[in-house]
Amino acid sequence: NAGVTQTPKFQVLKTGQSMTLQCAQDMNHNSMYWYRQDPGMGLRLIYYSASEGTTDKGEVPNGYNVSRLNKREFSLRLESAAPSQTSVYFCASSGLRDNPNEKLFFGSGTQLSVL
Amino acid sequence: AQKVTQAQTEISVVEKEDVTLDCVYETRDTTYYLFWYKQPPSGELVFLIRRNSFDEQNEISGRYSWNFQKSTSSFNFTITASQVVDSAVYFCALSAMNSGYSTLTFGKGTMLLVSP
């Protein structure tokens, strides 16, 4: 029962390096999300994808790009990492984005440090 | 715009004490949903409860209970007879329709530390 799987779990980058965080869900969900969690800030939405082929900016999209590769996979890319992007990143999915009743299923998180 | 305020940054209690976590929300929507998620030290986010804006009945699940009051825009969470395993960060969240799609807004979380 995998649910939402994120890789890697930990990553250390140098300023300016690029990397892609991978996320896959096996629940046949339409909507997927990327959040970042910073101390004292709660979870903030970076990007989301209502369905395959669509992506939209969330609250804090600057410095990130996303790709909804297919219904299962939603990746987050940092083109040129900055120390301000040091955070814990969570991927999530839900059945329908146009239904506010939907609860989110979260991955286990990626702890990213940018030096 | 939606907003969720969890004014309590950190709460420390001794095991078996009751504790209430406060959540105040703001939204212009008449239909919305409120959630509580738990994040234990292991880091994963665990769904606890979902409530819609039309149902103001309090809910009890074992040692957990939730008090939803539209008049004060609050959705508070009480743990009765707390246990060490309740130590976690608890997030309140609000979901409403915004320009045709739903968005989930989280509060900043309350860290609960239950000591033996």
Side-chain angles (χ1 to χ4, degrees):
Chain A
N1 224 10
V4 179
T5 304
Q6 285 181 240
T7 56
K9 291 192 183 299
F10 301 95
Q11 184 71 49
V12 179
L13 294 177
K14 294 181 180 178
T15 298
Q17 286 185 318
S18 62
M19 79 158 296
T20 299
L21 279 64
Q22 306 287 352
C23 176
Q25 51 90 10
D26 61 3
M27 295 173 282
N28 201 34
H29 282 168
N30 289 303
S31 302
M32 297 185 74
Y33 312 81
W34 277 105
Y35 285 88
R36 61 177 287 174
Q37 181 180 17
D38 302 293
M41 298 296 292
L43 279 83
R44 293 181 293 170
L45 184 63
I46 305 171
Y47 270 94
Y48 53 87
S49 171
S51 59
E52 185 179 351
T54 69
T55 60
D56 290 284
K57 294 179 180 179
E59 182 184 353
V60 287
N62 291 346
Y64 305 95
N65 286 301
V66 290
S67 294
R68 184 74 182 267
L69 304 169
N70 47 56
K71 192 171 185 179
R72 290 187 64 250
E73 298 173 289
F74 188 39
S75 62
L76 178 72
R77 182 161 178 84
L78 287 70
E79 291 291 353
S80 179
S84 61
Q85 293 178 305
T86 293
S87 188
V88 179
Y89 292 84
F90 286 96
C91 178
S93 70
S94 67
L96 294 170
R97 180 162 163 263
D98 60 354
N99 180 358
N101 186 35
E102 290 285 322
K103 70 177 184 181
L104 267 59
F105 293 80
F106 286 89
S108 56
T110 296
Q111 191 164 321
L112 175 66
S113 295
V114 183
L115 306 177
Chain B
Q2 302 171 177
K3 185 178 180 182
V4 176
T5 301
Q6 294 181 256
Q8 303 151 308
T9 305
E10 189 173 322
I11 300 175
S12 293
V13 299
V14 177
E15 209 170 17
K16 297 184 182 177
E17 285 185 22
D18 298 347
V19 58
T20 295
L21 309 181
D22 297 333
C23 173
V24 174
Y25 62 90
E26 297 176 28
T27 181
R28 294 178 183 174
D29 292 278
T30 55
T31 301
Y32 52 88
Y33 292 80
L34 295 161
F35 298 77
W36 277 94
Y37 283 85
K38 174 182 179 180
Q39 186 178 40
S42 55
E44 76 272 23
L45 285 145
V46 179
F47 167 80
L48 293 178
I49 190 172
R50 168 181 46 207
R51 210 88 183 123
N52 74 58
S53 52
F54 297 108
D55 184 0
E56 289 193 68
Q57 276 194 326
N58 291 336
E59 180 150 345
I60 298 174
S61 176
R63 296 184 297 106
Y64 295 172
S65 62
W66 290 269
N67 181 265
F68 175 32
Q69 292 196 330
K70 278 179 88 168
S71 60
T72 56
S73 297
S74 64
F75 186 44
N76 296 336
F77 174 29
T78 297
I79 301 174
T80 303
S82 59
Q83 299 176 0
V84 172
V85 293
D86 295 327
S87 296
V89 179
Y90 292 86
F91 291 98
C92 180
L94 166 69
S95 179
M97 295 298 289
N98 182 12
S99 301
Y101 52 83
S102 64
T103 57
L104 187 65
T105 301
F106 284 85
K108 295 182 179 181
T110 297
M111 179 179 288
L112 174 65
L113 179 61
V114 182
S115 49

